[in-house]
Amino acid sequence: ERGNHRCEGDWMSELEGYLIRFRHRLRLQTAWLAYQRTFWLPALTSLTLQIGGRIIPIPDLDKFTAIPWLVWLAAVALYALGKRISLMTTASRVDLALDLKERLSTSLALKTSVSGASSTLVLRQRKDALQFAARVDSGQAFPLHWRKKQIAAGILLLCLTLASLILPNHQDQIIQERLAVQAAAQEQAQKLTELSKQIQQDETISAEKQAERGVHAIDIAKALIDKGIHPPTVYFPLIVKEAIMIEPT
């Protein structure tokens, strides 16, 4: 009896080994079909972005065009590899695909030992299931078919997207002009920041300080007249050197 139990355990391990191999092939087939069925989706999304980028300026349009393809590749891979497929589901799919009359699923379901004549029938059934499983070539049993119409539609959309990438886009010039304006504004802001720091470093800005550089209060007043501006009173009060009196009104 122990020998029979050990033999049953060996048969079950061998059958599960075949089913695991079939499951890998089924996952590959599922991913292959899913990629082909949805190939048009990232192509259409990228083309839509390209068309939108020719209507309104979109910075880094090329990068945005590549994002749908990366999301598509990751999503389908996660769907195919992350989908849980039990050994019983695998056995049922193999039975249905190869018309095995539920040989594999029935053999997998009969894990408990049965005594007497029923036990003999179970052993025969498991042996029969193993023989069929051993003859199955997973590559031929679950081929990777091509869906030509869906692939052709996706390739057409992809070609239009590539053409849009290659052809000149007048929105690129607008983006460059905006970038140039932003760069000029940043440069001007930097200059103002440096000037503000320079002003903070100076103790005062006065005619007396300018006199040390050879510019007197009268020179400042004359310069204002040349600009058409009425100058403030200079040299008053007399107790302040190089005084300029500003009277707020």
Side-chain angles (χ1 to χ4, degrees), residues 33-169:
L33 292 177
Y35 275 123
Q36 294 184 81
R37 289 171 179 170
T38 59
F39 181 61
W40 62 271
L41 186 58
L44 179 60
T45 305
S46 298
L47 180 59
T48 303
L49 288 172
Q50 282 294 316
I51 294 174
R54 291 181 174 274
I55 299 174
I56 58 175
I58 302 178
D60 298 327
L61 181 59
D62 295 348
K63 295 181 181 178
F64 283 110
T65 303
I67 289 177
W69 292 99
L70 298 177
V71 173
W72 170 69
L73 289 171
V76 175
L78 288 175
Y79 165 75
L81 299 178
K83 186 177 181 181
R84 188 173 181 179
I85 304 176
S86 65
L87 292 180
M88 180 59 70
T89 302
T90 302
S92 299
R93 291 180 62 178
V94 174
D95 285 336
L96 181 61
L98 303 181
D99 193 22
L100 297 182
K101 309 299 182 181
E102 299 183 353
R103 281 184 171 87
L104 301 183
S105 56
T106 301
S107 178
L108 188 64
L110 296 175
K111 289 184 177 180
T112 57
S113 298
V114 183
S115 60
S118 298
S119 177
T120 303
L121 292 176
V122 169
L123 292 177
R124 290 180 179 178
Q125 197 279 334
R126 289 177 178 173
K127 185 176 180 180
D128 177 67
L130 276 177
Q131 290 176 351
F132 273 92
R135 291 199 298 265
V136 173
D137 184 349
S138 58
Q140 294 180 356
F142 307 105
L144 304 179
H145 295 293
W146 290 89
R147 296 182 174 269
K148 297 181 180 180
K149 292 183 178 180
Q150 294 172 335
I151 294 177
I155 291 177
L156 176 61
L157 295 173
L158 178 60
C159 290
L160 293 175
T161 303
L162 294 176
S164 180
L165 284 169
I166 296 173
L167 295 175
N169 187 355

Side-chain angles (χ1 to χ4, degrees), residues 151-246:
I151 294 177
I155 291 177
L156 176 61
L157 295 173
L158 178 60
C159 290
L160 293 175
T161 303
L162 294 176
S164 180
L165 284 169
I166 296 173
L167 295 175
N169 187 355
H170 68 281
Q171 296 295 340
D172 292 340
Q173 183 178 357
I174 297 177
I175 295 175
Q176 294 299 326
E177 292 175 354
R178 289 183 179 180
L179 292 176
V181 171
Q182 292 178 0
Q186 291 177 356
E187 184 179 358
Q188 188 67 22
Q190 186 176 0
K191 289 182 179 179
L192 290 175
T193 302
E194 294 176 356
L195 180 60
S196 176
K197 292 180 180 179
Q198 184 178 356
I199 292 174
Q200 291 176 0
Q201 291 176 356
D202 293 336
E203 295 180 357
T204 57
I205 298 179
S206 63
E208 182 180 1
K209 193 171 186 66
Q210 295 297 327
E212 298 176 359
R213 303 174 182 175
V215 179
H216 300 278
I218 189 64
D219 298 324
I220 297 176
K222 290 180 179 180
L224 291 174
I225 294 174
D226 294 338
K227 298 291 185 179
I229 301 174
H230 191 280
T233 303
V234 296
Y235 297 116
F236 182 85
L238 299 176
I239 59 175
V240 179
K241 295 181 180 180
E242 301 293 336
I244 298 179
M245 186 176 66
I246 300 175

